[in-house]
Amino acid sequence: PIAASEFGWLQVLGVANLLADGALVIGEPVIRSNGTAGSVEPATTTFTIQGNVGFAQTGVATTEYGAVNLKLI
């Protein structure tokens, strides 16, 4: 949560620069990581309880940042 006296940024749609916990492939779906807080990982199935985040817009190596098209709503 963000306190009333503080500033924060929440993005739910569009392209964002995210940390990859596993190599991401262009166009493939990504999900919340269960290994590294605040990062995403490649989706291994079409249904996941980890929560779909969006789709990779660039190829991203593990522990690197890359573009992900967010679809959180």
Side-chain angles (χ1 to χ4, degrees), residues 9-19 30-32 38-40 51-57 66-73:
W9 174 267
L10 301 174
Q11 183 174 351
V12 296
L13 286 173
V15 179
N17 196 33
L18 302 180
L19 175 62
V30 298
I31 58 175
R32 291 182 299 136
S39 67
V40 295
N52 293 326
V53 173
F55 297 89
Q57 295 295 294
V68 173
N69 190 5
L70 298 177
K71 304 284 185 183
L72 295 173
I73 57 172

Side-chain angles (χ1 to χ4, degrees), residues 32-56:
R32 291 182 299 136
S33 173
N34 60 359
T36 302
S39 67
V40 295
E41 62 187 34
T44 56
T45 63
T46 56
F47 175 77
T48 176
I49 60 172
Q50 286 172 251
N52 293 326
V53 173
F55 297 89

